[in-house]
Amino acid sequence: MIKRRHKMPIVSNDFSDIVYNRRSIRKFDTSVKIPREEMLEILDKTVTAPSSVNMQPWRFVVVDSEEGKDKLKPFVSYNSVQNETSSAMVLIFADLKSQERAEEIYGKAVTQGKMPEEVKEKQLSSIVPMYENAPFEVMNEIVHIDSSLAAMQLMLVARSYGYDTNAIGGYKKDGLAKAFGLDEDRHVPILIIALGKADEEGFESVRLDASDVTTFA
Amino acid sequence: MIKRRHKMPIVSNDFSDIVYNRRSIRKFDTSVKIPREEMLEILDKTVTAPSSVNMQPWRFVVVDSEEGKDKLKPFVSYNSVQNETSSAMVLIFADLKSQERAEEIYGKAVTQGKMPEEVKEKQLSSIVPMYENAPFEVMNEIVHIDSSLAAMQLMLVARSYGYDTNAIGGYKKDGLAKAFGLDEDRHVPILIIALGKADEEGFESVRLDASDVTTFA
């Protein structure tokens, strides 16, 4: 674990501005680098997002070096500007076997005095077999949901640090996990978040009114 | 479209408090009802979340009546307290054929002067066939991601209005769309968000450190 030496400055704490003025930014200021320590601080806040039975299947690969960007290039050919200009391309993967860290997660809760040992044992005795026996399709949906919740939070937390983002869904998935040192049998790519200091304004998107996509019952 | 007569009060605009003090709340104050107009305002802010090629596949069923709650009951047997006490159970579905509203969405952008007609035509001529020809597995993942991004934003927007939430993944999916009047061949259930005024404190969850789920490249 990297020890945090200091807290990075939060640029904005204005919820409305951060959330409702978020735009997809595709071109970033190449002179701005985000220290890895600051990136971990952003990700520590990202992972307070909710997670099904707290299994936290999200896994991040922060591509912020020239070598890393070069390796990523063939996977993001439609989004080369983001790859070339962003401070980091955050690859969000999901671990299909997140239950293998269940003992670590729930053990941490016990150590911190947030959960009695008996509760941990009881919960894990039902959660772990449930996850182990879930069909691929079911587990794939669960980890897509959890990791996307974290992705949204990442985009917002980044803005509170003065950065902007672009969520990229159109990229080559085959081979991506392996190229970045992850076991591809268990790590599925979810989204790539380009992150950095905006160098363009971005467009305000048009949305259907809530009333056009909502019914009451 | 329901006309909004007035803006509802925002209770908090403190980003850090809203995001980092969010807890899963399972028991709500049953005396608090959220007017449907206010709910639509919350959802209008929810759907500013990013969406792949702006297809906005999210669909909401807001279950806030006694009849609706009764109908939902057999689907959420592990979460009956939330169903009984929340102001609303927001069922988030995703439309597997969201491209059928592409013309409406991109047409709105043109009408609002945010996109030239030629750009709309050019984009739709590639997006619509791409979505139409995508295999179920691919489209299912795309709509899970998009709808989960919106789900996270909903949980945060709700807090800015003074409400709390519980994201529920464990519920009976079979028959849910049909029970609430949606075509089940195209609408897949993503998450249920219980929403209301908290009547308990909620637990702070334990998370793995970002450094334990992150690599740099």
Side-chain angles (χ1 to χ4, degrees):
Chain A
M1 204 192 92
I2 296 175
K3 278 265 169 281
R4 314 291 196 284
R5 280 184 302 274
H6 58 283
K7 287 267 172 192
M8 303 295 167
I10 291 173
V11 170
S12 170
N13 194 42
D14 180 335
F15 181 81
S16 291
D17 177 57
I18 291 168
V19 177
Y20 310 128
N21 292 330
R22 186 200 52 72
R23 308 270 174 270
S24 286
I25 295 296
R26 295 177 174 80
K27 192 163 164 265
F28 300 93
D29 179 346
T30 53
S31 71
V32 174
K33 306 288 173 207
I34 302 176
R36 289 183 172 185
E37 197 166 330
E38 186 179 5
M39 186 62 81
L40 285 176
E41 196 176 295
I42 290 171
L43 291 173
D44 268 323
K45 293 180 170 180
T46 294
V47 299
T48 64
S51 162
S52 185
V53 296
N54 205 14
M55 280 303 106
Q56 309 168 41
W58 42 66
R59 302 289 177 265
F60 307 99
V61 179
V62 178
V63 181
D64 62 358
S65 72
E66 235 174 274
E67 301 74 22
K69 295 282 194 79
D70 279 348
K71 201 186 280 182
L72 185 57
K73 199 174 172 179
F75 294 97
V76 291
S77 50
Y78 296 116
N79 298 283
S80 50
V81 175
Q82 295 94 315
N83 192 44
E84 281 158 23
T85 64
S86 66
S87 297
M89 300 285 272
V90 182
L91 319 184
I92 303 183
F93 292 90
D95 184 356
L96 291 166
K97 295 181 182 169
S98 58
Q99 73 275 4
E100 291 192 5
R101 301 191 77 169
E103 184 65 39
E104 186 183 351
I105 293 168
Y106 280 64
K108 194 172 172 180
V110 172
T111 306
Q112 293 188 1
K114 289 180 182 160
M115 185 182 280
E117 177 76 27
E118 316 84 72
V119 173
K120 173 197 139 190
E121 293 303 329
K122 187 161 176 285
Q123 292 206 8
L124 288 189
S125 69
S126 73
I127 291 168
V128 174
M130 181 178 75
Y131 264 48
E132 276 171 351
N133 297 322
F136 167 78
E137 292 73 21
V138 171
M139 191 48 60
N140 191 43
E141 289 181 355
I142 291 174
V143 301
H144 268 79
I145 293 169
D146 274 10
S147 303
S148 302
L149 297 177
M152 185 73 250
Q153 190 146 304
L154 171 57
M155 290 186 262
L156 300 178
V157 171
R159 277 181 55 77
S160 79
Y161 278 76
Y163 303 117
D164 277 286
T165 56
N166 180 208
I168 299 171
Y171 57 92
K172 193 172 157 288
K173 293 188 165 188
D174 276 359
L176 185 66
K178 199 178 171 191
F180 288 92
L182 294 179
D183 175 356
E184 60 187 346
D185 288 334
R186 58 188 278 179
H187 294 99
V188 291
I190 307 292
L191 271 175
I192 298 178
I193 308 289
L195 206 157
K197 199 88 186 169
D199 196 29
E200 62 173 11
E201 289 226 351
F203 296 101
E204 191 189 348
S205 267
V206 163
R207 294 291 188 263
L208 297 171
D209 286 343
S211 55
D212 291 330
V213 293
T214 303
T215 54
F216 288 88
Chain B
M1 204 192 94
I2 296 176
K3 279 263 169 282
R4 316 290 196 284
R5 280 184 301 274
H6 58 284
K7 287 265 174 195
M8 302 296 167
I10 291 172
V11 170
S12 170
N13 194 41
D14 181 336
F15 181 80
S16 292
D17 176 56
I18 291 168
V19 177
Y20 310 128
N21 292 331
R22 186 201 51 74
R23 307 270 174 271
S24 286
I25 294 295
R26 295 177 175 82
K27 191 163 165 267
F28 300 92
D29 179 345
T30 53
S31 72
V32 174
K33 306 288 173 206
I34 302 177
R36 289 183 171 184
E37 198 167 328
E38 186 178 6
M39 186 63 79
L40 284 175
E41 195 177 296
I42 290 172
L43 290 173
D44 269 324
K45 294 179 170 180
T46 293
V47 298
T48 64
S51 162
S52 185
V53 296
N54 204 15
M55 278 305 106
Q56 309 169 41
W58 43 66
R59 302 290 177 265
F60 307 99
V61 179
V62 178
V63 181
D64 62 358
S65 72
E66 235 174 276
E67 300 74 21
K69 296 281 193 82
D70 279 348
K71 202 186 279 183
L72 185 57
K73 199 174 172 179
F75 294 96
V76 291
S77 50
Y78 296 116
N79 299 283
S80 49
V81 175
Q82 294 94 315
N83 192 44
E84 281 159 24
T85 65
S86 65
S87 296
M89 299 286 271
V90 182
L91 318 184
I92 303 182
F93 292 89
D95 184 357
L96 290 167
K97 295 182 181 169
S98 57
Q99 73 275 5
E100 292 191 6
R101 299 190 77 169
E103 185 65 38
E104 186 183 351
I105 294 168
Y106 280 64
K108 195 172 171 179
V110 172
T111 306
Q112 294 187 1
K114 288 179 183 161
M115 184 183 281
E117 178 76 28
E118 316 84 73
V119 173
K120 172 196 140 190
E121 293 302 329
K122 185 158 178 285
Q123 291 206 9
L124 288 189
S125 69
S126 74
I127 291 169
V128 173
M130 181 178 75
Y131 265 47
E132 276 171 352
N133 297 322
F136 166 78
E137 291 74 19
V138 171
M139 192 47 60
N140 193 42
E141 289 181 355
I142 291 174
V143 302
H144 268 78
I145 293 169
D146 274 10
S147 303
S148 301
L149 297 178
M152 185 73 249
Q153 190 145 306
L154 171 57
M155 289 186 263
L156 300 178
V157 172
R159 277 181 56 76
S160 79
Y161 278 76
Y163 303 118
D164 277 285
T165 56
N166 180 206
I168 299 171
Y171 57 91
K172 193 172 158 287
K173 294 188 165 187
D174 276 0
L176 185 66
K178 199 178 172 193
F180 287 92
L182 295 178
D183 176 355
E184 58 187 347
D185 288 335
R186 59 188 277 181
H187 295 99
V188 291
I190 307 293
L191 270 176
I192 298 177
I193 308 289
L195 205 157
K197 199 90 187 170
D199 197 28
E200 62 173 11
E201 288 226 349
F203 296 101
E204 191 190 347
S205 267
V206 163
R207 294 291 188 262
L208 297 172
D209 287 344
S211 56
D212 291 331
V213 293
T214 304
T215 54
F216 289 89

